[in-house]
Amino acid sequence: MSLLEPFSRPRWQHRDPAVRLAAVDELEDPATLLEVLQADEDAAVRSRALSRIDAPAALDRLIDETPAWLGGALLQQARSQRLRQLLPDHGVLPPGADDGLLVRITTLADDAALIEAAIGRIESPRLRMDLATSHSLARARLCAAQSIDDIELLQSLMQQSRHRDKSVFRHCRERLDAHLAAQRSAEDRQQRLARLAEDAAALRAAVDAPESRASC
């Protein structure tokens, strides 16, 4: 290595992590920031480089494709950064958020109250079904399952969650058992009413019979 080489390299490649950390704050090129994020040996420098990446598409690629060099803490940081972009109003759900945005929020958030609020506003039962089967958090899967009222979807969800998610499976079974019990109760009530109607008709017929009138 020549004596001039340390002076010819950019500051973000300096031997001193403190110099590299300060240099990252001056970087604007997304490709260079990604290079620092991937290659730098210092965790603080990598975290600073990630904090400088603000393109939603770039963050989405890091989150969804999750390269092997993106560790747990950095991945969580990327998720938090992207979530702040989607929730600029201090974590409050946007009033006009569509289902796609709400689903994305549930996949990025780790706050149970925020996830439940987002799921509660998702209109599509099919999307709530997908969350009930695929969300990484057990509490979110159960919350999504609890928001489903369609009996056929509950039956399908119960089959899919069997041996995979005890809480979701138990919830679906309880809901379906309650539905069947309500059906049986309604059928029994209809049968009792039908028998009462038959008995009343028979009584009227007996009262109106000639023999009955003759004996009066």
Side-chain angles (χ1 to χ4, degrees):
M1 181 178 70
S2 71
L3 294 176
L4 294 178
E5 186 174 348
F7 300 98
S8 63
R9 290 187 301 178
R11 292 176 65 245
W12 56 269
Q13 292 180 336
H14 198 279
R15 290 180 179 180
D16 187 346
V19 175
R20 299 200 305 274
L21 190 65
V24 166
D25 287 336
E26 301 173 359
L27 292 176
E28 300 291 344
D29 179 44
T32 304
L33 289 168
L34 283 172
E35 182 178 347
V36 175
L37 174 60
Q38 178 176 358
D40 200 283
E41 297 178 354
D42 188 88
V45 175
R46 297 180 71 197
S47 177
R48 185 70 62 84
L50 177 56
S51 71
R52 298 275 294 160
I53 297 174
D54 56 7
L59 288 174
D60 282 336
R61 281 194 299 271
L62 289 172
I63 294 166
D64 297 334
E65 299 175 10
T66 315
W69 46 263
L70 193 68
L74 287 173
L75 177 59
Q76 183 57 44
Q77 179 182 336
R79 292 163 63 93
S80 297
Q81 284 180 214
R82 186 70 180 101
L83 186 61
R84 285 195 297 271
Q85 291 179 339
L86 298 176
L87 301 174
D89 189 14
H90 304 290
V92 178
L93 291 174
D98 60 19
D99 279 2
L101 176 57
L102 293 168
V103 168
R104 186 58 170 167
I105 289 170
T106 68
T107 62
L108 294 173
D110 54 11
D111 178 79
L114 177 60
I115 292 173
E116 291 177 7
I119 290 175
R121 285 178 48 182
I122 294 174
E123 295 183 0
S124 169
R126 285 290 176 182
L127 289 177
R128 296 199 296 271
M129 173 84 166
D130 290 342
L131 290 173
T133 58
S134 63
H135 200 285
S136 59
L137 297 179
R139 184 169 181 175
R141 294 195 299 273
L142 180 59
C143 177
Q146 291 170 338
S147 72
I148 297 173
D149 296 319
D150 185 274
I151 295 302
E152 291 185 2
L153 288 181
L154 284 171
Q155 290 173 330
S156 176
L157 180 56
M158 185 176 72
Q159 295 302 319
Q160 293 183 51
S161 60
R162 187 187 297 272
H163 308 307
R164 294 178 56 191
D165 191 320
K166 291 181 179 179
S167 295
V168 171
F169 176 80
R170 186 183 306 113
H171 167 76
C172 293
R173 186 177 60 187
E174 291 173 354
R175 287 286 302 276
L176 290 170
D177 287 347
H179 174 74
L180 291 174
Q183 272 192 330
R184 287 193 294 268
S185 177
E187 291 171 357
D188 289 344
R189 182 172 181 275
Q190 289 298 323
Q191 290 174 357
R192 289 195 300 270
L193 290 175
R195 286 195 295 269
L196 288 173
E198 291 175 357
D199 292 344
L203 181 59
R204 285 196 301 272
V207 170
D208 293 339
E211 300 84 5
S212 176
R213 290 198 299 270
S215 61
C216 293

